[in-house]
Amino acid sequence: LHLCRIARRLAAAVALTLLASTLPAAAQSLDDAVRANLGLALRLCLRTGTDIPATIAAFQAAGFTYTPTAEANGDIWHRFFAPANTIRAEILQGQMAPSCDVHTNHLPPSEAAPLVRAILNQAAPGRFVPIPAGPDSCAIFSEAADAIPLVVTVGATDLSAGCPALGSTVISI
């Protein structure tokens, strides 16, 4: 019981620290809200990593609505919805290592790719480098100096080839 309290306090402290350093300015338009919330979700996914309780606390502290869904095989989807449904972040916790996907229906991959690159350069200068994108992705960024690198992929939600100028985007971390 004592360890649970400590874990909750630690998660709350991490969430408050992340919140203080990642809150976007008040958005003026839907486009501004999409871009601000995408940046916020991406930063939260990068900072909290595989610590699921810290991730949940950080997204909730940032104003995202949290909805968990348990699958029959024991996997759990942790879904976070930004205000006005501008962004949805999903973390799958289960048999594989947790990963974070950020979805938006309001920004095509051709616009999301340079935005993601700018966010990565700002959040982690020098940590990520662009690498050649595959046929079903728009852009791929990989950690520069890690033996098992973290990879960030930008693509179309419907897995369209290349970097479409229309459609929805998914960013996978």
Side-chain angles (χ1 to χ4, degrees):
L1 184 63
H2 182 66
L3 289 175
C4 288
R5 286 184 190 151
I6 292 172
R8 278 190 226 130
R9 287 181 182 164
L10 179 60
V14 168
L16 288 174
T17 301
L18 289 171
L19 180 61
S21 64
T22 59
L23 276 180
Q28 299 296 316
S29 67
L30 177 64
D31 186 61
D32 289 343
V34 168
R35 291 168 185 275
N37 288 330
L38 183 131
L40 178 57
L42 184 56
R43 285 180 187 94
L44 290 173
C45 287
L46 288 171
R47 288 187 183 165
T48 57
T50 59
D51 185 342
I52 300 297
T55 302
I56 293 169
F59 271 97
Q60 287 180 315
F64 286 71
T65 302
Y66 171 56
T67 305
T69 305
E71 299 289 331
N73 67 356
D75 289 353
I76 300 172
W77 282 100
H78 301 278
R79 291 187 174 96
F80 308 93
F81 299 89
N85 287 323
T86 53
I87 299 294
R88 178 182 81 245
E90 298 179 335
I91 298 173
L92 178 60
Q93 177 186 16
Q95 299 170 25
M96 303 290 287
S99 62
C100 186
D101 292 336
V102 179
H103 301 260
T104 183
N105 295 326
H106 305 285
L107 194 66
S110 62
E111 292 181 40
L115 179 61
V116 168
R117 183 177 188 156
I119 292 165
L120 291 174
N121 287 338
Q122 180 188 34
R127 180 176 169 193
F128 292 93
V129 295
I131 61 174
D136 61 349
S137 59
C138 181
I140 302 175
F141 306 94
S142 177
E143 281 182 309
D146 204 333
I148 302 175
L150 183 64
V151 176
V152 179
T153 304
V154 180
T157 302
D158 66 0
L159 300 178
S160 298
C163 204
L166 299 172
S168 301
T169 298
V170 60
I171 299 147
S172 299
I173 303 166

